[in-house]
Amino acid sequence: MAAGDARVSCREMRLDLMIHMKNVMKVYDNGAVALDNINVDIRKGEFVFLVGPSGAGKSTFIKMLFREVLPTSGILTLNGRDIVRMPVGDVPYLRRSLGVIFQDYRLLPDKTVYENIAFAMQVIEAPRRMMQRSVNSVLDIVGLRDKYKCFPNQLSGGEQQRVAIARAIVNNPAIVIADEPTGNLDPETSWGIMDIFQRINAAGTTIVMATHDKTIVDAMQKRVIAIEDGAIARDEAQGGYGYEN
Amino acid sequence: MKIRTSEYFIREVFLSLKRNNWMSVASIGTVAVSLFIFGMFLMMVMNMNKLAQSLESQVQINVYLEDSVTHDSARELETDLKSLQGVEAVKFVSREEAMERFKERLGDQKSLLEALDDDNPLPDAFEVTITRPELVKDTAASIEKLDGVESAKYGQDVMEHLFEMTRLLRIFGFSLMLVLALATLFIISNTIRLTVFARRKEIAIMKYVGATDWFIRWPFMLEGMVLGLFGSLIAAVILRTAYTATVEKIYDTLAFFPLIPEQPFLNYITVIVIFSGMAIGAVGSAVSIKRFLKV
């Protein structure tokens, strides 16, 4: 089935669904099949771990969610919106409804903590009077209020990741997508990050997190989706990491 | 566009010009040089066009009559001339009139003519103006065949050369301008590419947090336009000064040379140069940034 034929029926637009994937397949231009026949539903407010060996398709899965990668075929809706058939001009507005966090933080080195976070509001032309209040409030959430004037190179890795989280949530996204957010951090710092994620999740935000961190996945007892060889190998409501590190 | 967004854009542009100061200076310089040459050729081509036009409009055939022709038969000849194809007007110049003109032209040296005593060696003549310059050759030939006509003269060789030269200059000038425009485009697009490349991470982050392509594109386009504007201003100032000086020099030595008067000509040139500079800057940036927007 070609992507163009995939129509989203009413049944598939269930209101409580944040992510709906049906028969999703991704073949890259070089012929490599990254994902094959993926069927996943993630409800609003869920906390989901995405696990699996490197190169199994986790990154493609994550990238499809913020439409850096388009599925070759299948149905993919995010918060009720059909991502596959979405016009290119609407993609910026889709991304405003989701927050993205990367392993390498991706902060701007010549901007302060405050400016890095405010930047996310600036580029979507949010009202200025909202900016200060929103930035301060997310700085409180990640516990960096007193470091707002620092530059990224003056912060530890954990602190930098917390700035990245603040930036991801400053525009009140419905879903936060994190790709190995603790990949560069020591265990103790990682728990600090997870604590923030849990609080964001408790406030109603859906979280999808790709990770290799066995300790965290095992301890948190959240839903676990394991991807192996481009297919879903396991989907457990309260799972463990399931691989030996 | 919202006011604070424009503030943001303007700040970004000047920050980036400052950050790449040497590259910015280099591109402003190149733009200035390219647009100066472009402007110079534009002025030359326009002046050559004007010269050709004024010479074309002056093309006339001097028809000299045989001495035996009486005034009566001259009048018949005039009707014959007027009936020829391509002839616009025919003016009779008697030998006495021709002598007067000759004296006038000699001015202070008209005493030379005293040597002639009262003999007038000049023939009666017609000045024939024609409708289209291209017809001059054929018309002159058919006039020479008429009875009583000694010769029909026009600046044959000069005209033919001039037509050829104008044509060549137009072709050469326009191709050179095209090449220069492309070269300038290339240089600006490379400078902007540096800026874009230096800020590719920032662009990627902007894309991830949902900035629209135009929001990302604008500061770079503005930067290109500012580079183009500065370069073209320099070129325009030099062109204006150079043209004014040239016009003065030529009026001193070759007063008959019909140059286009400075005003409003120089203002048109300035507008064209500035507009081209900014347009090239904008297009150059748009080209460089295209690749980086695919995130």
Side-chain angles (χ1 to χ4, degrees), chain A residues 161-208:
Chain A
Q161 191 59 294
R162 284 194 272 162
V163 177
I165 295 171
R167 182 181 63 196
I169 63 174
V170 74
N171 291 320
N172 284 316
I175 175 167
V176 167
I177 298 157
D179 193 1
E180 306 269 359
T182 58
N184 287 353
L185 305 175
D186 58 64
E188 201 179 329
T189 319
S190 297
W191 277 114
I193 298 294
M194 292 319 296
D195 183 49
I196 295 169
F197 278 143
Q198 267 188 308
R199 276 186 285 137
I200 297 169
N201 180 238
T205 308
T206 311
I207 292 183
V208 177

Side-chain angles (χ1 to χ4, degrees), chain A residues 13 44 181:
Chain A
M13 288 278 223
K44 287 179 180 170

Side-chain angles (χ1 to χ4, degrees), chain A residues 66 68 92-93 95-96 100 102 106-108 110-111 119-120 122-128 167, chain B residues 1-2 4-5 7-8 11-12 19 201-202 204-213 215 295:
Chain A
F66 53 92
E68 184 167 338
Y93 303 96
R95 289 186 181 165
R96 289 173 194 194
V100 192
F102 301 95
R106 301 201 187 170
L107 302 176
L108 295 170
D110 55 348
K111 284 179 163 34
F119 183 70
Q122 218 166 20
V123 300
I124 65 164
E125 302 183 77
R128 185 179 278 169
R167 182 181 63 196
Chain B
M1 196 188 300
K2 294 170 188 172
R4 71 176 173 283
T5 304
E7 275 175 32
Y8 162 80
R11 208 174 43 241
E12 289 298 309
R19 216 167 0 216
K201 283 183 182 162
E202 200 172 331
I205 292 169
M206 286 166 100
K207 294 280 291 187
Y208 287 135
V209 296
T212 57
D213 283 357
F215 185 91
V295 178

